[in-house]
Amino acid sequence: MRVVVHTDDADTWCQALARRLPDAEVVTSEAAGDAPADYLAVWKPPASLFEGQSRLKGIVNLGAGVDALLHNPGLPRGVPIVKLRDAGMAPLMADYVRFGVLYFQRDFDRYFAQQTHGTWREQPLIDKADWPIGVLGLGAIGAHVARALAEDGFPVHGWSRSAKSLDGVTCHHGEAGLSELLAGVRTLVTLLPDTDSTRGIVNAGTLSRLPEGATLINPGRGSLIDEAALLDALGPGDKEGRLRGALLDAFTEEPLPRDNPLWAHPRVRITPHMAAPTPVRDAADQVAELIRALDAGEDVETIDPGAGY
């Protein structure tokens, strides 16, 4: 069995997978040359990687988001695609979202703004119980984040396309459920996959349904956000608009171009798609299990390219 790995830290992944798949040849895409692979373990591969893959049995996406892979023009048809289903990313994502929620709920955004003017003024404390949070997307990672916030004492509302049930979380679904959620939350967290139905879901209409002074955290997919509508909702730099602020980790174009106006907006905080990096040690176990299962012909949950997840 030949496994070819393509990702930023390919050498580390190769070492980890070689220990877990001792009977396999595990090599980086650079070392692979023109020899075909049985399995590819990849993150945002170039289209050229798929050229000449005459015996490919499966592709493992080294992350939870598959949009970059599914949009790859070289992606072969009919080859099973599997992805990581958390593998240690959920706790990291929960930490990132916790930071964002507390940043606004405890008024750190306003304290940092006061510091630039030398202003010493304590903001009135708002209890967690009075800070409802909406989580769009209740997959493995979204569900973990929603439950973690609920355990922290926040009222949490979750939204998904179809009905779901989570302990401690008020669940909504469908268009009516989305409207109901938006009307009552102070922080909106977006953890949806990139699909035709979710692309641009945070738009002028969505933002107008949020309460005045609401906040946005997007550690999910950049395609979920209409950036022009977000900037309009934030208002000019010297005056708060309908939206109080945003913490953004994912963007339609990455790296985010230096001339993008989000960089300069005083009520936007930007991080470079680092909210939940894939922990190699935990994830390598799952990748090895997926490859073994595919090779043995076992039933494995695969990606539906038409649905986008």
Side-chain angles (χ1 to χ4, degrees):
M1 180 197 303
R2 194 163 198 258
V3 180
V4 173
V5 179
H6 179 90
T7 186
D8 289 340
D9 198 9
D11 288 333
T12 301
W13 275 97
C14 282
Q15 293 168 17
L17 289 174
R19 288 194 294 270
R20 291 159 175 81
L21 297 167
D23 296 329
E25 178 191 8
V26 184
V27 295
T28 67
S29 57
E30 291 182 352
D34 296 329
D38 295 296
Y39 297 95
L40 295 177
V42 298
W43 179 249
K44 296 184 177 180
S48 59
L49 182 62
F50 299 108
E51 295 175 2
Q53 297 294 350
S54 57
R55 68 186 201 200
L56 198 58
K57 302 176 186 177
I59 302 170
V60 182
N61 190 66
L62 298 177
V66 295
D67 38 298
L69 180 61
L70 295 182
H71 295 155
N72 192 307
L75 185 69
R77 295 183 179 181
V79 177
I81 301 171
V82 294
K83 72 171 186 175
L84 297 180
R85 303 282 178 179
D86 178 0
M89 291 177 283
L92 296 173
M93 185 68 80
D95 285 345
Y96 183 93
V97 175
R98 277 189 178 109
F99 163 78
V101 170
L102 292 172
Y103 178 76
F104 294 113
Q105 182 251 337
R106 290 299 310 275
D107 292 303
F108 290 112
D109 60 330
R110 288 174 174 160
Y111 288 127
F112 292 153
Q114 286 178 192
Q115 181 178 340
T116 62
H117 303 291
T119 301
W120 183 281
R121 182 174 65 245
E122 185 175 356
Q123 299 288 337
L125 179 64
I126 300 174
D127 290 339
K128 290 181 178 179
D130 296 322
W131 195 279
I133 300 167
V135 178
L136 303 187
L138 296 176
I141 292 178
H144 180 97
V145 170
R147 283 192 295 258
L149 293 170
E151 290 169 2
D152 288 346
F154 292 98
V156 180
H157 297 257
W159 182 84
S160 54
R161 290 196 312 166
S162 56
K164 291 192 176 183
S165 177
L166 289 175
D167 290 343
V169 178
T170 303
C171 293
H172 309 260
H173 69 280
E175 185 58 34
L178 179 60
S179 295
E180 185 178 1
L181 178 147
L182 292 172
V185 301
R186 301 189 73 153
T187 294
L188 182 67
V189 182
T190 51
L191 289 168
L192 290 160
D194 173 64
T195 68
D196 290 341
S197 61
T198 63
R199 212 160 290 137
I201 193 170
V202 179
N203 50 44
T206 307
L207 294 169
S208 69
R209 286 182 274 174
L210 289 168
E212 195 83 23
T215 57
L216 174 68
I217 301 173
N218 181 33
R221 302 285 172 266
S223 62
L224 305 177
I225 310 295
D226 180 331
E227 289 184 7
L230 173 58
L231 284 163
D232 186 60
L234 287 163
D238 58 348
K239 183 181 178 181
E240 282 190 15
R242 180 175 190 82
L243 203 65
R244 170 174 161 179
L247 172 63
L248 308 174
D249 186 58
F251 304 88
T252 303
E253 184 178 355
E254 294 181 356
L256 187 66
R258 295 185 67 178
D259 61 354
N260 189 297
L262 289 169
W263 280 116
H265 200 288
R267 289 188 301 284
V268 174
R269 292 293 172 263
I270 290 171
T271 53
H273 209 143
M274 46 62 68
T278 304
V280 175
R281 184 177 62 183
D282 294 336
D285 289 336
Q286 191 176 135
V287 172
E289 290 171 7
L290 288 167
I291 289 174
R292 285 195 199 96
L294 286 169
D295 208 53
E298 298 174 5
D299 287 335
V300 177
E301 185 177 358
T302 59
I303 298 300
D304 178 355
Y309 58 93

